[in-house]
Amino acid sequence: MMHIAPVYGFEFTRPFSAAGLSFTPCETNSSSAKRIARDLSAHHMTGTIAANAIDRETIYELEGVLSFIEHLDVMVLEPISAHQAEPDPTKAFEPTLIARRRHNGGGAVIGSDAFNPCKNSRQQFIELCLTHLKDKTFCDKTRFRSLLFKSVETFRQRQPFLEITYFLLISGLEAFCRACQGDYTSRNAAIPITNQLKLYGFNVFQDNSGELSRSISTYLHIRNALFHQGDFTSTVNINHGLVQFNCSQHLFNLSMLCSLTVMKAIGFDDGHTNWDCWIDRELHR
């Protein structure tokens, strides 16, 4: 029997199918869809999903994937039978949930179906990501699940703390890159991280004082300062000169780099993503 579940806070304006799930939007007007999807004060129902079976693990994974896309908390409630949802599924569920305030994670990392030059970017990402999450061998080998959900938890915290956000990002990235590289022995985590990111085509360095944002050691210096000294800045002697690293200054770079790594890990490429946006902040090309 077909089951239907409501989705709260995910922006889409076109029906589509991905990973065995059929998505139907509540709003087809792009302005209205964006307004209700990105309201930080409440979760508004933005559509429904339908499938023969929607178990709790699928809901958990789908919430994570949709939240990752929006970089905002997205909710998917327990499904009901299609018979219970007749004649209008949108009337069978609460239109608004005011469960908790949503924290903006910096803006959606994949463009909406209304304005992205590739109209099915979100559909493509959902299909790839859910398929990879279901692949236990892949997740065990790469620790991809940890990378994805640690990234998502940075903005799903009840009260985001800078040091916790930073730890989730850098620890998820390190674990993923060490697993992919099979390198669990290098004392310098910059080695496996740099090697893996270079394989994905990112312009990064292990250590380059001339380009601190592209230097993986920058993010590790900041991590050490946060968790060993409790400081948000780190001053390091490089080439007989003192260089200061600031956590808030480089947090965007790290967050976006982790997001792009998630996309690379599952083979997502809509042809319009700017893979250097973690530096220049231009998401699309």
Side-chain angles (χ1 to χ4, degrees), residues 155-225:
F155 51 84
R156 289 206 298 199
Q157 301 173 71
R158 184 178 293 273
Q159 176 61 52
F161 289 94
L162 186 60
E163 60 269 39
I164 295 176
T165 295
Y166 198 92
F167 173 75
L168 289 169
L169 292 170
I170 195 67
S171 65
L173 184 63
E174 179 182 351
F176 173 79
C177 291
R178 283 190 181 277
C180 290
Q181 288 287 305
D183 183 350
Y184 298 99
T185 58
S186 294
R187 295 187 64 182
N188 185 355
I191 296 173
I193 295 176
T194 303
N195 289 341
Q196 185 61 31
L197 294 181
K198 282 187 173 180
L199 280 179
Y200 285 152
F202 291 110
N203 182 11
V204 296
F205 306 97
Q206 182 178 321
D207 197 353
N208 186 334
S209 59
E211 294 196 60
L212 294 179
S213 293
R214 295 189 187 276
S215 177
I216 299 302
S217 64
T218 294
Y219 304 99
L220 298 174
H221 285 313
I222 293 172
R223 179 191 64 182
N224 293 340

Side-chain angles (χ1 to χ4, degrees), residues 84-93:
Q84 291 175 283
E86 292 178 349
D88 182 358
T90 62
K91 304 297 184 183
F93 306 103

Side-chain angles (χ1 to χ4, degrees), residues 5-245:
V7 179
Y8 294 83
F10 175 65
E11 181 185 348
F12 65 116
T13 62
R14 305 164 186 261
F16 67 91
S17 296
L21 304 170
S22 296
F23 291 72
T24 303
C26 290
E27 284 282 354
T28 56
N29 177 274
S30 59
S31 297
S32 298
K34 184 179 182 66
R35 176 179 54 80
I36 63 173
R38 301 202 65 82
D39 186 352
L40 299 182
S41 64
H43 291 76
H44 300 285
M45 186 167 69
T46 54
T48 59
I49 59 171
N52 289 328
I54 309 174
D55 57 27
R56 290 187 176 182
E57 183 66 12
T58 297
I59 290 175
Y60 172 76
E61 292 174 347
L62 184 60
E63 282 187 333
V65 172
L66 300 184
S67 296
F68 174 85
I69 291 172
E70 295 289 1
H71 266 44
L72 272 177
D73 184 39
V74 173
M75 298 178 68
V76 180
L77 298 193
E78 293 286 333
I80 61 176
S81 69
H83 176 72
Q84 291 175 283
E86 292 178 349
D88 182 358
T90 62
K91 304 297 184 183
F93 306 103
E94 290 293 332
T96 302
L97 304 176
I98 309 178
R100 56 182 180 269
R101 181 170 175 77
R102 306 165 77 200
H103 298 285
N104 191 338
V109 295
I110 298 176
S112 70
D113 59 11
F115 299 106
N116 194 343
C118 180
K119 300 299 185 183
N120 68 342
S121 291
R122 293 189 167 202
Q123 176 185 5
Q124 180 185 344
F125 181 83
I126 294 167
E127 176 77 40
L128 285 168
C129 202
L130 287 177
T131 299
H132 280 79
L133 285 173
K134 297 295 186 186
D135 186 341
K136 187 176 185 302
T137 300
F138 171 79
C139 288
D140 288 346
K141 182 179 180 181
T142 64
R143 299 192 181 180
F144 171 75
R145 178 179 287 267
S146 175
L147 174 65
L148 174 70
F149 282 101
K150 281 187 175 182
S151 177
V152 168
E153 288 306 321
T154 61
F155 51 84
R156 289 206 298 199
Q157 301 173 71
R158 184 178 293 273
Q159 176 61 52
F161 289 94
L162 186 60
E163 60 269 39
I164 295 176
T165 295
Y166 198 92
F167 173 75
L168 289 169
L169 292 170
I170 195 67
S171 65
L173 184 63
E174 179 182 351
F176 173 79
C177 291
R178 283 190 181 277
C180 290
Q181 288 287 305
D183 183 350
Y184 298 99
T185 58
S186 294
R187 295 187 64 182
N188 185 355
I191 296 173
I193 295 176
T194 303
N195 289 341
Q196 185 61 31
L197 294 181
K198 282 187 173 180
L199 280 179
Y200 285 152
F202 291 110
N203 182 11
V204 296
F205 306 97
Q206 182 178 321
D207 197 353
N208 186 334
S209 59
E211 294 196 60
L212 294 179
S213 293
R214 295 189 187 276
S215 177
I216 299 302
S217 64
T218 294
Y219 304 99
L220 298 174
H221 285 313
I222 293 172
R223 179 191 64 182
N224 293 340
L226 278 173
F227 292 98
H228 296 302
Q229 290 89 40
D231 295 327
F232 291 95
T233 59
S234 174
T235 302
V236 179
N237 190 324
I238 299 177
N239 296 331
H240 307 293
L242 295 179
V243 177
Q244 187 175 79
F245 304 96

